[in-house]
Amino acid sequence: PAGAAAAPAESDAVAARDAAVTARVQALNARVDTAHASESAVSGRTADAQDAAAEAARDLADAKETYYAAKARRDAATTLLKNLKAETSGHASAVEEATKDIQAAQSAVADAKKAAEEAKAKAEKVESEAKAADEMGDETPEEADARAHEVAEAAEAARVAEIQVANAETEVATAQAAADKAKLLVSNHTEALEDAEADAAAAATESAAAQQAYVTAAAREASAR
């Protein structure tokens, strides 16, 4: 009877030990599962951070390239504006010079016309006096040649004076053409200058915005590393 009573007690002890072992195994498994879950969470956060860093790096590269391009456009617009201003100023000076040339040429025309009128009057007088000379018809060949030469010289001087008038008038026309061309260039450059000023202002705004974006992207990329 005593042995029979011991058998159930031993069986209970074995069952208790098995239960304890099972409980410990389950606890260990639970800790392993918790560790795996933690690792997965950390891994997930790491992957997200890596993705964010990669995206920030791409954004930074794009922002950098965009700013460089915007700055290049701004520099080009600024250079064009500077050149147009210089050219416009040069054409304006050309207009002033051409205007002075016109005035000088017109003054030369007036002087030439006055000289031509005087030369013509002199030629007519010399010819008239020659024809009315008492010696007319009685002069020696040498005297006749000399009188004819004198009249011819006066007539030639009158002709040259007329040519001088024509030349002076040509100078006026040339100066006027130069002034008209310079005025046209000034007009064209003034319009181009207005467009260039607007383009330069837009390029400056674009460049500033692009650099601000560049700075923002640089800060974001550094934070996402």
Side-chain angles (χ1 to χ4, degrees):
E10 184 178 350
S11 177
D12 290 342
V14 170
R17 286 196 300 272
D18 290 345
V21 170
T22 300
R24 286 197 297 273
V25 169
Q26 289 177 342
L28 288 173
N29 288 338
R31 286 198 295 271
V32 169
D33 291 341
T34 300
H36 285 168
S38 178
E39 288 176 1
S40 296
V42 170
S43 177
R45 287 196 298 272
T46 301
D48 290 342
Q50 289 175 344
D51 290 343
E55 181 182 357
R58 288 193 297 270
D59 291 344
L60 175 59
D62 290 342
K64 180 178 181 180
E65 183 178 355
T66 298
Y67 171 63
Y68 283 6
K71 182 60 168 64
R73 286 192 292 272
R74 179 176 187 174
D75 290 344
T78 300
T79 299
L80 175 61
L81 179 60
K82 180 181 179 181
N83 291 340
L84 282 174
K85 284 182 176 180
E87 291 176 6
T88 301
S89 177
H91 293 314
S93 297
V95 171
E96 294 179 1
E97 290 300 319
T99 300
K100 292 179 182 178
D101 290 342
I102 290 173
Q103 295 172 345
Q106 288 174 336
S107 178
V109 167
D111 292 342
K113 285 183 175 180
K114 181 179 179 181
E117 290 173 357
E118 292 175 352
K120 180 180 180 182
K122 181 178 179 180
E124 291 175 348
K125 180 180 178 181
V126 169
E127 182 179 358
S128 176
E129 289 178 349
K131 291 179 179 179
D134 294 337
E135 298 84 2
M136 187 63 53
D138 192 34
E139 290 183 329
T140 64
E142 291 78 8
E143 291 172 337
D145 290 344
R147 189 180 294 278
H149 180 69
E150 180 183 9
V151 172
E153 278 190 338
E156 176 65 14
R159 188 183 71 83
V160 170
E162 288 295 333
I163 292 175
Q164 293 297 327
V165 171
N167 289 340
E169 290 175 339
T170 298
E171 290 298 321
V172 171
T174 300
Q176 185 63 59
D180 291 343
K181 180 180 179 181
K183 288 178 181 178
L184 179 60
L185 289 173
V186 168
S187 177
N188 291 341
H189 276 70
T190 298
E191 294 178 2
L193 188 58
E194 292 175 354
D195 293 339
E197 287 175 340
D199 290 344
T205 300
E206 178 188 6
S207 180
Q211 187 169 12
Q212 289 174 349
Y214 183 14
V215 170
T216 300
R220 179 170 175 266
E221 190 275 337
S223 299
R225 290 176 190 171

